[in-house]
Amino acid sequence: MTTLTKASETSAARENPARRRRRVDRLPYLLLLPCLVVICVLLLWPLGQVVAMSFFRLNNVRQLRGDREWPWVGFDNYAEILGDPFFLTVLRNTVLFAVANVALTMILGTLVGLLLNRLGKRMATFVASCVMLAWATPALTGTIVWKWMFDDTSGLVTWLFNALPDGLSNALFGRADWTGYGWFNSPLLFFSILTLVVVWHSFPFIAVSVLAGLKSVPSELHEAARVDGAGPWKVFWKITFPLLRPVFGILVVLSTIWDFKVFTQQFVLAGGTQDRLTFMLSIYSYAEAFSPPPKYGLGAAIAVVLTLILLLVTGVYVRMVLKQEEES
Amino acid sequence: MRRGALVKRVALNGAGLLVALFAAFPVYWMIATSLKPNREIFSATPGRCRPTRRWSTTGRSLPGI
């Protein structure tokens, strides 16, 4: 009896790992399958479609429906974009805007994260909740509110500037009456307001991520550095930053991707696609594709160029981070 | 030393309040606007927020709606 149970036990033990291993081998893929299907249908298929469209001349909505044939033009769409001097203006706008916004978002977000870490518990909760309100506001709604505030007659900012003493306003800006002032007319002012809106929308995520990173750094390290006579500036660059380097790395990559493809905020603030001087790649792609006369192929080609630039930027940065980790 | 600590605390909390104001003000403004009658939304001076219960009807009287 005892030998029998022992034997069956050992046979079960011998059999079990093999069976378990086989099951474990297949199960993860099975569990991943729904996700993969969703990604393929929602992400990869449209992406492939855009790449395909960029090689055809598509000027009619009937072609998209499949009623008319698609004439193959090879790389003509790309040649047309890259040969257009206007593309350089758009590229310059995009790169300058992205660099300025990533820098400002990272600086403000990091400072707010450090501040939240230093505040008392109740105050930190209050400030963090307010900051998360900005993060939770949808891009469209938030931008519409900012646009109201910069309205040229009933906007809050116009009212504030009107409320300045006339002498001061004249001395600083050369005008006292701000009613009817077009806040979005000059490209520089437009980009400043766009930067304000985009930074307002994106700094909460950086702040909360940096705060989460800071919570994981043992406070003894900071105390030791402070005892050794390091100021806040030195403590940040010698201790906090090296420890949180992976966090900052991924945050910079994410911000770069988000700020390169800003569309909603620009479309709402500019009120459509008329203001060609302030075009950036994503709105340029949209305008070429959908504003009459439609050029879907050209728009798709611009979108592919934008994607390639993003892949390049991200790839370079990821390699840099990996190299730094190997060295240290 | 104690005075320095107090100044630091005031500065930190003041900065916290400024950040909270900057982040939450547009959201507050959105809610305040939703409670105003049209006349006040489009007036040149932002009046005090006197909540109206008529927004559901004034919404329909907007031009183009």
Side-chain angles (χ1 to χ4, degrees):
Chain A
M1 191 67 191
T2 48
T3 50
L4 194 73
T5 49
K6 217 175 238 171
S8 69
E9 256 173 25
T10 48
S11 78
R14 223 181 296 135
E15 205 181 79
N16 247 356
R19 200 194 287 161
R20 200 183 300 147
R21 207 178 301 140
R22 212 179 328 134
R23 197 179 293 162
V24 162
D25 269 349
R26 239 186 275 157
L27 193 62
Y29 294 102
L30 210 68
L31 291 174
L32 273 177
L33 200 65
C35 244
L36 282 176
V37 168
V38 169
I39 287 177
C40 283
V41 171
L42 293 182
L43 265 173
L44 294 183
W45 190 76
L47 201 65
Q49 195 77 358
V50 166
V51 174
M53 280 168 74
S54 68
F55 292 109
F56 293 91
R57 174 162 296 117
L58 299 171
N59 295 337
N60 197 305
V61 78
R62 286 193 174 172
Q63 288 173 311
L64 295 190
R65 286 200 209 114
D67 295 350
R68 285 192 195 170
E69 61 177 48
W70 294 20
W72 171 268
V73 290
F75 283 94
D76 277 12
N77 284 331
Y78 292 95
E80 193 178 335
I81 302 162
L82 298 177
D84 188 354
F86 183 60
F87 177 77
L88 275 184
T89 316
V90 174
L91 190 66
R92 192 201 58 198
N93 283 349
T94 315
V95 172
L96 285 181
F97 177 81
V99 168
N101 274 265
V102 170
L104 284 174
T105 313
M106 287 305 294
I107 292 171
L108 183 66
T110 309
L111 285 176
V112 173
L114 290 168
L115 179 71
L116 286 174
N117 200 31
R118 295 287 297 277
L119 286 174
K121 202 172 174 188
R122 226 180 297 162
M123 191 66 182
T125 313
F126 170 71
V127 176
S129 328
C130 286
V131 162
M132 287 322 280
L133 272 183
W135 173 245
T137 311
L140 185 63
T141 327
T143 315
I144 290 176
V145 175
W146 279 103
K147 195 173 176 172
W148 279 347
M149 292 204 277
F150 281 97
D151 189 87
D152 60 357
T153 46
S154 56
L156 188 67
V157 177
T158 309
W159 175 79
L160 270 176
F161 273 80
N162 270 333
L164 282 179
D166 283 2
L168 182 71
S169 181
N170 261 328
L172 284 178
F173 310 106
R175 64 185 295 155
D177 179 23
W178 292 86
T179 309
Y181 183 72
W183 290 102
F184 304 107
N185 285 358
S186 93
L188 190 65
L189 204 52
F190 175 82
F191 275 121
S192 311
I193 297 172
L194 188 60
T195 302
L196 176 71
V197 176
V198 170
V199 169
W200 174 76
H201 253 135
S202 44
F203 87 92
F205 179 73
I206 310 291
V208 174
S209 307
V210 169
L211 178 65
L214 284 171
K215 294 277 187 209
S216 69
V217 175
S219 57
E220 293 87 18
L221 286 173
H222 287 134
E223 275 162 31
R226 224 164 283 143
V227 168
D228 284 349
W233 181 257
K234 219 169 180 183
V235 169
F236 178 79
W237 286 112
K238 295 280 173 190
I239 296 188
T240 315
F241 184 73
L243 282 172
L244 295 187
R245 195 189 289 277
V247 176
F248 281 113
I250 198 74
L251 288 177
V252 167
V253 170
L254 284 176
S255 302
T256 311
I257 293 175
W258 288 336
D259 292 346
F260 249 98
K261 55 177 201 176
V262 161
F263 176 81
T264 315
Q265 286 93 339
Q266 176 165 31
F267 189 80
V268 173
L269 284 187
T273 54
Q274 294 90 20
D275 193 7
R276 287 178 71 84
L277 270 181
T278 58
F279 267 14
M280 295 196 288
L281 278 173
S282 50
I283 202 164
Y284 181 39
S285 159
Y286 176 86
E288 288 296 329
F290 295 112
S291 56
K295 286 174 238 149
Y296 304 111
L298 215 56
I302 299 168
V304 171
V305 170
L306 173 61
T307 312
L308 287 179
I309 293 174
L310 280 181
L311 281 179
L312 199 76
V313 171
T314 318
V316 166
Y317 196 82
V318 168
R319 263 189 65 183
M320 217 164 72
V321 169
L322 287 180
K323 221 179 241 172
Q324 275 171 348
E325 267 171 20
E326 266 169 31
E327 279 165 14
S328 63
Chain B
M1 187 62 202
R2 276 188 66 188
R3 228 188 119 197
L6 183 74
V7 167
K8 207 169 175 183
R9 254 184 63 193
V10 169
L12 277 177
N13 283 292
L17 283 178
L18 275 181
V19 169
L21 184 75
F22 170 61
F25 183 75
V27 180
Y28 156 75
W29 196 244
M30 175 174 74
I31 296 168
T33 308
S34 77
L35 298 174
K36 284 178 194 168
N38 273 348
R39 184 167 28 83
E40 245 173 81
I41 295 177
F42 295 113
S43 81
T45 48
R48 278 166 292 118
C49 176
R50 284 184 299 266
T52 171
R53 266 185 290 163
R54 295 199 48 213
W55 31 265
S56 58
T57 50
T58 49
R60 250 176 267 138
S61 69
L62 273 174
I65 294 181

